[in-house]
Amino acid sequence: MTTPTPNPTHADLALWLVEAAEAVSGIATAQHAAPPSRSHLHPVLGPLTAGPKAITALADRLEHLLEARLPTTPASLFTLASYVSALGWLTESLADLTQAVDLLVTEAGQADDDDESGVDLSDYAPQDRQAITVLAAEAALPPGLYLRLLGRALLACSEFTEACAEITGALTEDAHRLLDESVSAVRLDGEGPDSLPTLVRSLLARLEAAR
């Protein structure tokens, strides 16, 4: 990532947000090989492995931005507000993913033969039935439980990916706003729909909807 300067231009500020967006996007697409005993966790292992490293890097980046003593211009404050909101949302999303994985591991450890009851693999093609049976055996799980855990891992990964996509999109949009000539008029006083960074407004909308 680029090094902060004492008097960053709008282009400098926009670049920092673009770099943060690229880092967040990379988490969602990260891949990590799963051992046969944990193949049901394969969908989440990439983000789960890459997430903490990316968050640490982004947090260090924020610390550098603060140490750079940016001038208190609307553009600088706008950038910091966008960056902090993105980092907070990403941290929360990764915590949710980690909790989901913990539950999957716990449930896998409580497997018993009853988990196989009621599971009909006849709808699957013969090669798929064989693959499921083999994967489940390697993971020491009944096929039914294996499929449920795999499905929940896919869902958890999907939810985390959606959060990353929203964060990435908001950071990118804010970077574009910084490059717009009207950015000098951006206000942080809450007046008007465009007074706050995109992600801040998204978070406020979520809080309002949850009431």
Side-chain angles (χ1 to χ4, degrees):
M1 289 187 176
T2 55
T3 303
T5 57
N7 297 295
T9 64
H10 285 189
D12 292 330
L13 296 171
L15 178 59
W16 296 341
L17 294 187
V18 169
E19 289 176 340
E22 291 174 346
V24 175
S25 177
I27 301 173
T29 57
Q31 297 292 322
H32 191 280
S37 61
R38 293 289 185 271
S39 59
H40 54 289
L41 298 178
H42 179 264
V44 297
L45 291 184
L48 197 63
T49 301
K53 297 177 182 178
I55 287 178
T56 298
L58 291 173
D60 289 344
R61 173 64 169 170
L62 176 60
E63 184 176 348
H64 292 160
L65 289 176
L66 296 175
E67 290 176 350
R69 298 183 179 278
L70 301 179
T72 55
T73 61
S76 294
L77 294 175
F78 178 91
T79 301
L80 287 174
S82 178
Y83 199 102
V84 170
S85 298
L87 182 57
W89 194 329
L90 178 62
T91 302
E92 178 186 354
S93 298
L94 182 62
D96 291 340
L97 178 64
T98 302
Q99 183 178 23
V101 173
D102 285 341
L103 292 174
L104 292 176
V105 172
T106 299
E107 187 170 346
Q110 298 173 344
D112 56 49
D113 292 338
D114 290 339
D115 288 306
E116 193 169 4
S117 61
V119 176
D120 185 5
L121 299 181
S122 61
D123 291 336
Y124 292 87
Q127 62 270 26
D128 292 335
R129 288 201 302 270
Q130 181 179 3
I132 292 170
T133 301
V134 170
L135 290 171
E138 290 176 337
L141 295 171
L145 180 57
Y146 182 89
L147 287 176
R148 287 202 300 274
L149 294 179
L150 179 60
R152 287 170 54 189
L154 288 168
L155 177 59
C157 184
S158 175
E159 292 175 345
F160 181 75
T161 300
E162 288 178 5
C164 286
E166 186 167 0
I167 295 169
T168 299
L171 286 168
T172 302
E173 182 177 338
D174 287 342
H176 290 161
R177 292 174 65 190
L178 283 166
L179 293 175
D180 192 300
E181 292 182 1
S182 64
V183 74
S184 59
V186 171
R187 302 182 304 277
L188 297 181
D189 54 12
E191 297 179 4
D194 296 326
S195 60
L196 295 171
T198 305
L199 202 54
V200 175
R201 289 185 280 115
S202 296
L203 287 168
L204 292 175
R206 287 179 64 191
L207 291 174
E208 185 65 25
R211 290 182 179 178

